[in-house]
Amino acid sequence: MIRSRWRRTPIALLAVGVAAVVLSGCSTIGPLLDPDAPVRDDEGQIVEPNEQTDAFALQVGDCLDDAAATGEVTTVPTVPCSEPHDSEIYAAFELTQSAYPGEETTQGKADALCLPAFEEFVGEPYLESRFDFAYYYPTEESWASGDREVLCVIYDPAGPVTGSLRGVTD
């Protein structure tokens, strides 16, 4: 089975990227300082759609409208999970290599990390599920700026869903 893969690219300045990640959970301050930061409630859930959420502000539990995303991305459309969406971030992992391992190795590591996390999230093995997964992973350029994160996303190949896919086995 072929799985879609998306890559994140770094934003212009590392300092801005660090600020976006640090402030992404601040629903009041974040959007004022970074217009690409999602608006979140006190539990960290996205509460307003954002057509251009900074890719470095994404976190586990976020719901995305990213079916059209291809290649390298810097922003991703996000919505509250209570609204129809294309995918949901179900796991995040930090790669530990000091040097960029190359795109093929990075994708292999992402597969190896996201596959077992898929079963844990959904509650059934990947090969028995009607859902699929993809991931966002560092590019060589973003790696040089300190990006080591792989974000695993689950989606329904049949189209958009409403609500979380955690524990959905049918």
Side-chain angles (χ1 to χ4, degrees), residues 11-22:
I11 53 181
L13 298 171
L14 178 59
V16 174
V18 171
V21 171
V22 171

Side-chain angles (χ1 to χ4, degrees), residues 118-140:
F118 179 95
E119 182 173 347
E120 182 179 319
F121 182 79
V122 175
E124 69 182 358
Y126 171 70
L127 293 177
E128 295 175 17
S129 177
R130 68 181 171 105
F131 301 111
D132 206 344
F133 75 91
Y135 39 80
Y136 290 90
Y137 60 93
T139 64
E140 185 171 11

Side-chain angles (χ1 to χ4, degrees), residues 40-120:
R40 298 180 184 279
D41 64 16
D42 291 339
E43 287 79 42
Q45 299 298 308
I46 292 176
V47 295
E48 293 181 17
N50 184 342
E51 286 297 315
Q52 295 193 8
T53 298
D54 186 317
F56 293 96
L58 298 173
Q59 61 188 36
V60 173
D62 288 352
C63 291
L64 317 173
D65 268 343
D66 60 347
T70 58
E72 297 179 13
V73 298
T74 56
T75 62
V76 179
T78 55
V79 297
C81 292
S82 60
E83 296 182 14
H85 54 276
D86 299 320
S87 65
E88 176 181 354
I89 300 173
Y90 68 90
F93 299 97
E94 292 289 321
L95 300 178
T96 58
Q97 295 81 0
S98 57
Y100 183 67
E103 186 169 1
E104 189 174 314
T105 299
T106 301
Q107 289 177 352
K109 289 189 177 294
D111 273 328
L113 294 166
C114 293
L115 183 60
F118 179 95
E119 182 173 347
E120 182 179 319

